Amino acid sequence: MEENGKDVPQEVRGWNWGAFMFNWVWGIGNKTYLPLLVFIPVFNIVWIFIVGARGNYWAWQNGNYKDIETFKAVQTTWNRAGLVQFIFVIVEIFLYTTFMAFIMFAIFASYFNFYYSN
């Protein structure tokens, strides 16, 4: 498929965790400025998924890569960093939720213990 005068090989298409997690930073680093739209409130919830899905496509079109291997090497670094960040965020959300559940349990347990002991 050719768009903007630059053919995008099938090998470079696919999900990009770096573009998904580091959207606007990734966009600036890859000379792709559409990810800056993540600064629009509410719209950004959907847009981060579009950036993750179309990121490689945009990076190939706007970058000056000599070959597919160079492109993949650069994007592999972004992908690893993005995936590690995604896993970290998921673990952080799980730990936060668990912590808050224990706090709420302690508050309600002490409340019911006080209420029913009098």
Side-chain angles (χ1 to χ4, degrees):
M1 178 185 269
E2 191 170 325
E3 193 174 295
N4 296 337
K6 195 166 184 184
D7 189 31
V8 180
Q10 191 66 33
E11 297 92 344
V12 302
R13 297 181 190 189
W15 185 260
N16 189 318
W17 284 104
F20 177 72
M21 291 303 294
F22 301 115
N23 37 64
W24 68 271
V25 174
W26 177 91
I28 291 171
N30 284 280
K31 301 176 194 155
T32 303
Y33 303 107
L34 283 172
L36 292 174
L37 294 174
V38 299
F39 290 115
I40 300 173
V42 182
F43 176 70
N44 59 2
I45 296 167
V46 174
W47 192 246
I48 61 171
F49 290 97
I50 295 170
V51 172
R54 298 286 289 177
N56 285 343
Y57 188 88
W58 295 333
W60 178 266
Q61 284 186 325
N62 297 320
N64 296 322
Y65 297 101
K66 338 177 240 194
D67 54 24
I68 294 172
E69 289 74 32
T70 305
F71 177 84
K72 284 185 175 184
V74 170
Q75 295 308 316
T76 297
T77 303
W78 281 103
N79 268 313
R80 280 190 197 127
L83 186 56
V84 167
Q85 180 69 14
F86 179 76
I87 292 168
F88 178 75
V89 167
I90 295 300
V91 168
E92 188 176 19
I93 289 170
F94 174 76
L95 292 175
Y96 176 78
T97 304
T98 304
F99 177 73
M100 292 306 291
F102 280 122
I103 295 295
M104 295 304 290
F105 177 75
I107 290 170
F108 285 124
S110 65
Y111 172 76
F112 285 120
N113 193 17
F114 174 77
Y115 181 73
Y116 289 115
S117 66
N118 288 333

